[in-house]
Amino acid sequence: MSKISEFVTTALEDTMNDHAEFILGVMSNAQGQKIASETGVVSIAGAEKVLTAHGVRHAFVRHQAKKNEADRGQVTITIEDFEFLTDILSNPISVERGDLMNRKNNDVLKFSKKVKGRLYNVLMSVTRNTKRTKLFFNTMFIKV
């Protein structure tokens, strides 16, 4: 089992720890500049990409019911789907500005990539403070 799968499994089992984090990598300068030109979301080069326990649980609550997902033209997510996160975030086929800002009024970016015939969509919130910028995992859904 990979470290990402271990983190996801622990996040699903330990519901008391919302703040556990797993660093998925850092946004390259080239990718940050490309995203800024395509979406208008600036200053994300060098940002850490962070998977949180809270985000993992949210994704499973929202995207694991087969009937609900089928009604939306989606498939349920699994722990194994999280293995694709680093590739989706580093090599997406598209990045769009999210339709809505998250509840803390941070920008949201939607990274999309086809993997094994399915379109994976990952939403990340951009948070900034005086020390650094981070992209926090919000959710993931899969279109067939």
Side-chain angles (χ1 to χ4, degrees), residues 4-22:
I4 291 176
S5 290
E6 286 177 18
F7 179 83
V8 171
T9 300
T10 301
L12 293 171
E13 292 171 355
D14 181 8
T15 59
M16 300 303 288
N17 188 356
D18 275 352
H19 302 292
E21 296 181 353
F22 185 90

Side-chain angles (χ1 to χ4, degrees), residues 21-138:
E21 296 181 353
F22 185 90
I23 306 303
L24 297 165
V26 175
M27 179 73 63
S28 72
N29 287 336
Q31 186 181 21
Q33 291 171 358
K34 183 177 183 207
I35 290 170
S37 71
E38 292 174 359
T39 67
V41 177
V42 297
S43 303
I44 59 171
E48 285 184 328
K49 303 170 200 172
V50 182
L51 178 62
T52 64
H54 174 77
V56 167
R57 286 193 295 277
H58 171 84
F60 273 90
V61 166
R62 297 283 306 196
H63 302 288
Q64 198 176 34
K66 287 183 181 180
K67 183 183 179 341
N68 293 347
E69 293 305 280
D71 290 347
R72 294 181 243 187
Q74 299 173 181
V75 296
T76 60
I77 62 170
T78 67
I79 291 171
E80 292 77 24
D81 291 318
F82 283 82
E83 293 295 326
F84 304 123
L85 272 179
T86 54
D87 184 41
I88 294 164
L89 296 174
S90 296
N91 304 301
I93 57 170
S94 69
V95 179
E96 303 170 21
R97 188 177 210 133
D99 292 337
L100 302 171
M101 295 195 140
N102 75 358
R103 61 188 164 86
K104 294 181 181 178
N105 290 326
N106 295 321
D107 289 316
V108 174
L109 294 170
K110 181 175 85 169
F111 294 78
S112 301
K113 182 167 186 164
K114 268 212 164 182
V115 179
K116 297 185 177 183
R118 296 177 169 176
L119 183 62
Y120 282 73
N121 297 280
V122 177
L123 276 68
M124 304 287 285
S125 291
V126 181
T127 63
R128 297 176 178 89
N129 64 31
T130 56
K131 294 182 182 178
R132 65 182 161 254
T133 300
K134 290 186 176 186
L135 276 69
F136 283 100
F137 176 87
N138 284 349

